[in-house]
Amino acid sequence: MSDYDPQAIEKKWQRRWADERAFEVAEEPGRPKYYCLVMFAYPSGHAHVGHVRNYMIGDVIARMKRMRGFNVLHPFGWDAFGLPAENAAIKNRSHPETWTLDNIAHMKGQLQRLGISYAWEREFATCEAAYYRWNQWLFLRMFERGLAYRRRSTVNWCPDCATVLANEQVVDGGCWRCGYAVEPRDLDQWFLRITEYADGLLDGIERLDEWPAKVLTMQRNWIGRSEGARVRFAVEPAGPAGEEEPPGGDAAAEIEVFTTRIDTIFGATFVLLAPEHPLVARFIDEASDPDGLRKRVQAFRALDRTDRLTGAVEKEGFDTGRRCINPFTGRPVPIWVANFVLAEYGTGAVMAVPAHDQRDFEFARKYGLPVEVVIQPEDPDGGAPLDGAAMDAAYAGPGVLAGSGEFTGRSTADAPAEMARAAEDRGFGRAAVQFRLKDWGISRQRYWGTPIPIIHCEGCGLQPVPDADLPVELPKVAEFSGRGDSPLAQIPEFVEVTCPSCGRPARRETDTMDTFVDSSWYFYRYCDPTNTGRAFDPATVSYWGPVDFYIGGVEHAILHLIYSRFFCRVFKDLGMVDHDEPFTRLLTQGMVLRDGAVMSKSKGNVVDPDEMISTFGADALRLYETFVAPPEKEIEWTDSGLEGSFRFLTRVWRLVTRAAPALGTAPAGGAGGPGLDAAHRALRRKAHDTIRRVSADLDPRAHLNTAVSALMELVNELYAFCDAHGVKLGQPAAAGAGADPLPPATGSVLREAVEALVRMLSPFTPHLCEELWERLGHAGGLRAAAWPEFDPAVAKADEIVVPVQVNGKLRARLTVPADIGEEDLRSAALAESAVQAHTAGREIARVVVVRRKLVNIVAR
RNA sequence: GCCGAGGUGGCGAAACUGGCAGACGCACGAGACUUAAAAUCUCGUGACCCUUCGGGUCGUGCGGGUUCGAUUCCCGCCCUCGGCACCA
């Protein structure tokens, strides 16, 4: 057994860091700052090794940056509102706060046992009124600006969670949390106008060059910008000519469509309405509905929402019997209702151009509707032009407009802009941009969230709670009986208030905010966490912000990471932040799997960090999770891998503790020292080469795994060096070094390498390295120690090995002076016997010499 | 269908700007130490072939191309994973 005792070492240093408030920071104008942030935690109960990996990546970067002289902000906190707490309260007949605070206490203990260098002084939980009052404050600012508004709308309702979900929280038609099929419901809801910022959010993506391409793509898809045009088709009066319009009739009705292909509009042979389109009900008179169209509409609307959204339903439609006028051709076209047209996208109505849209084409063929070609591909061979009657598929490619009136002959490249302009000039349309992104519904009919600070007054309407009355605190008691209306609605002393405007009795809003509001700006609050006068001091955020390095799971690519970008822009418009983007660099860490599956309690494959820590120590766990693969990749948990990391740390322990008594003072830099022999110079070279590699791997590359392997190589080399120079590292322990004092040169070279090793390893395994650093005779801890300095003069080799190829195949390796000239290298290569054996009897056509890299001899 | 990321030994991976493929680790094998085992230390470990130290051939998903030289660049495929998707 080794005398490496992680339990004792880790306790000692964790206590010391806590006593010294070692990682708290203050603004220091003029000193470079670095804001390193991991996504804060939902206090679900227990951290597992997947969380640990996330936090380790942040901790390695934060500790390294600190040693490199940066003023590092590395905070942590809790995303503490949310449904699981409320569900647990219902189940346990307790209060959500109890469950939440218990979990936070437990998880905080777990994180502290990992020795993460958080500024715990800045910790907060979003369920504290001191935090969520600023959610309310911000909501009111958005309300004033029309960015927060209330409207009745069809929303995504999760029957299981008994609440509304944002569009982003519906995954494959189910609830993102419980998977239960989402239903449509008509409710009055609060929305945040994120669409106001759609263009800015999309354009900003172009400048996020330190974000993973995957996340940017997902955000682009989610925002879903389409350029096209809106065109209005006038509805023809109903019934035979001369018949009187019914009262409230639709003589002036118009159908507005959105299209990305206005250049095909002369080929629009019918118009399709969503079943929910308001005109549909007007077109179908219930009293005289001989064909039972109303029933068909209802059948369409009743279709499974998921199937309808994913296209799993058979495309069907029917003729309303009404017609509208194509404003470009002046011709009437029939109006149909189709089950695949979505009310919530665009205008809920589309023009159908079967010749140039595959879906329209199939629909037209199914129902015998006309197909008119208005785009002819440019065919250099002069083949037969397309014919609507004979086509077996739509032509959606580029070409030249045909049968399109004054636009005939224009190209599909130019026509759309011209035709949109024409539509605008003639007053029936305009160029338009359509987004897939919708406004963010934040109303939740649940208790455990931020109360929305609004009062409903019958006389005055929606009244904001005055700023002076903030926070609107969650009432402490509430009945957690189960499902139904918001629990807050059942607390009279919360609901019954007086109108701040007229003073008459009024009702308080009982919805709470989506918890994603909480997480959309928490990174600013860390900068100024105890401010009682405002959300944060802009000057403080100006110093720390934006977040330089943000680390978290890719599952937040479109939820949290779009909302935060949105809030950043809102704060900027409020004059509170001075940057456009909140997170300069984003790293999405891979998940930790076990037996090929995500760890979960239900699968019973959770690896508990506490168990690993008690067996191998936090340092071994930290090292394993950073070494096993690049941070972005998912990893498969293996116990043997963790054991391997523990073995390595034992090796480091033995190396440093046994060698320490014999170490001299480190060499004072310079070019290797003329008095040193080859082995000593080689060790110095290796040490400095490792400094170069590890430094670059950590910053900026964040390749934590290769940084560790470089350190392992250095340790291997140090073992070989010690073995060759009489420092006994192997067993038995009693026969350690120190018995024979080392020659001063050997001791000083060893010290230099060992101290570089300890410092560079310390971000990964801080407890072990602090202990070793102390044993090496340094006071003040590693925080005071600078990152080792790379000296190119020392790293420079005096001899190098150059591979020699013949026709691209490796045939020999030459050991030559590092500064060898091209000519000398060339002749040395040609003189090599192995080379001559392969060139014998052949003509040497060419010799490629790449300085310091390789020689390739081309022989024929 | 569209967009993105990938495919390298038994396994996790490395190769940063076109220059020795497989560093480092896991697993496995051999040796040293030991009464023995564990631990530790040292060595070996892509495949195939000739086998004599040693040498040869093949090898980074598949097929082509560019190049003195390709895991890396280009063209065409196949597969895996992720996102979006009746979005007009």
Side-chain angles (χ1 to χ4, degrees), chain A residues 23-25 66 73-76 117-123:
Chain A
F23 307 112
E24 173 55 337
V25 281
R66 240 176 243 129
L73 176 59
H74 188 215
F76 196 78
S117 63
Y118 289 135
W120 283 110
E121 294 77 7
R122 292 170 183 254
E123 174 194 15

Side-chain angles (χ1 to χ4, degrees), chain A residues 28 32 69 127 129 198 213 216 243-244 277 296 319 359 364 371 580 614 634 649 740 841:
Chain A
E28 293 179 43
C127 61
L216 299 180
E243 198 172 294
E244 206 178 311
H277 196 284
R296 300 203 58 187
D319 191 347
R359 192 190 46 207
V371 178
D580 294 312
S614 61
E634 62 184 31
L649 295 183
D740 308 309

Side-chain angles (χ1 to χ4, degrees), chain A residues 308-545:
Chain A
R308 231 180 117 192
L309 283 172
T310 55
V313 247
E314 168 83 12
K315 291 178 193 50
E316 285 181 7
F318 61 84
D319 191 347
T320 62
R322 302 292 296 268
R323 300 192 301 176
C324 59
I325 309 294
N326 182 332
F328 274 91
T329 63
R331 288 187 309 177
V333 294
I335 303 168
W336 285 56
V337 174
N339 62 357
F340 61 85
V341 179
L342 305 172
E344 62 265 34
Y345 184 76
T347 60
V350 297
M351 66 177 205
V353 185
H356 304 295
D357 180 278
Q358 186 59 25
R359 192 190 46 207
D360 295 347
F361 180 84
E362 285 162 18
F363 194 83
R365 281 285 189 261
K366 177 169 179 173
Y367 292 106
L369 292 157
V371 178
E372 287 177 17
V373 172
V374 291
I375 307 288
Q376 290 292 350
E378 285 185 85
D379 186 352
D381 306 330
L386 292 174
D387 169 17
M391 292 166 89
D392 52 11
Y395 174 73
V400 175
L401 273 64
S404 295
E406 62 189 286
F407 303 102
T408 300
R410 314 311 304 259
S411 80
T412 49
D414 304 332
E418 289 177 29
M419 294 173 78
R421 215 175 305 124
E424 182 152 18
D425 290 346
R426 297 174 209 172
F428 54 73
R430 62 185 168 87
V433 171
Q434 181 64 42
F435 291 97
R436 210 188 78 101
L437 183 72
K438 297 189 192 85
D439 280 339
W440 173 15
I442 58 157
S443 281
R444 297 292 180 273
Q445 291 71 43
R446 302 297 298 221
Y447 168 79
W448 195 231
T450 304
I452 292 175
I454 291 288
I455 288 166
H456 299 263
C457 172
E458 276 191 23
C460 312
L462 298 172
Q463 290 300 309
V465 171
D467 281 0
D469 293 350
L470 296 183
V472 176
E473 283 199 58
L474 269 180
K476 284 294 173 211
V477 259
E479 187 66 26
F480 297 100
S481 53
R483 305 290 144 77
D485 284 348
S486 168
L488 289 177
Q490 294 151 26
I491 307 172
E493 51 274 38
F494 179 78
V495 175
E496 291 162 15
V497 289
T498 54
C499 171
S501 179
C502 67
R504 284 204 292 257
R507 284 179 56 83
R508 196 185 283 289
E509 170 67 55
T510 58
D511 283 353
T512 53
M513 295 184 199
D514 182 2
T515 58
F516 278 96
V517 173
D518 311 342
S519 54
S520 294
W521 67 280
Y522 74 104
F523 39 91
Y524 293 134
R525 185 69 183 171
Y526 282 139
C527 300
D528 192 10
T530 55
N531 198 325
T532 53
R534 50 209 306 196
F536 49 83
D537 175 13
T540 307
V541 165
S542 175
Y543 176 79
W544 290 114

Side-chain angles (χ1 to χ4, degrees), chain A residues 659-675:
Chain A
L663 299 182
T665 50

Side-chain angles (χ1 to χ4, degrees), chain A residues 732-790:
Chain A
D740 308 309
L742 290 171
T746 306
S748 80
V749 167
L750 255 180
R751 174 174 284 274
E752 177 187 41
V754 163
E755 293 199 342
L757 168 72
V758 169
R759 282 179 287 167
M760 289 190 287
L761 188 62
S762 69
F764 298 90
T765 61
H767 314 87
L768 167 71
C769 292
E770 288 278 17
E771 181 68 25
L772 294 175
W773 191 243
E774 192 176 64
R775 289 180 184 224
L776 284 164
H778 298 281
L782 276 162
R783 274 171 298 133
W787 191 256
E789 200 75 31
F790 169 63

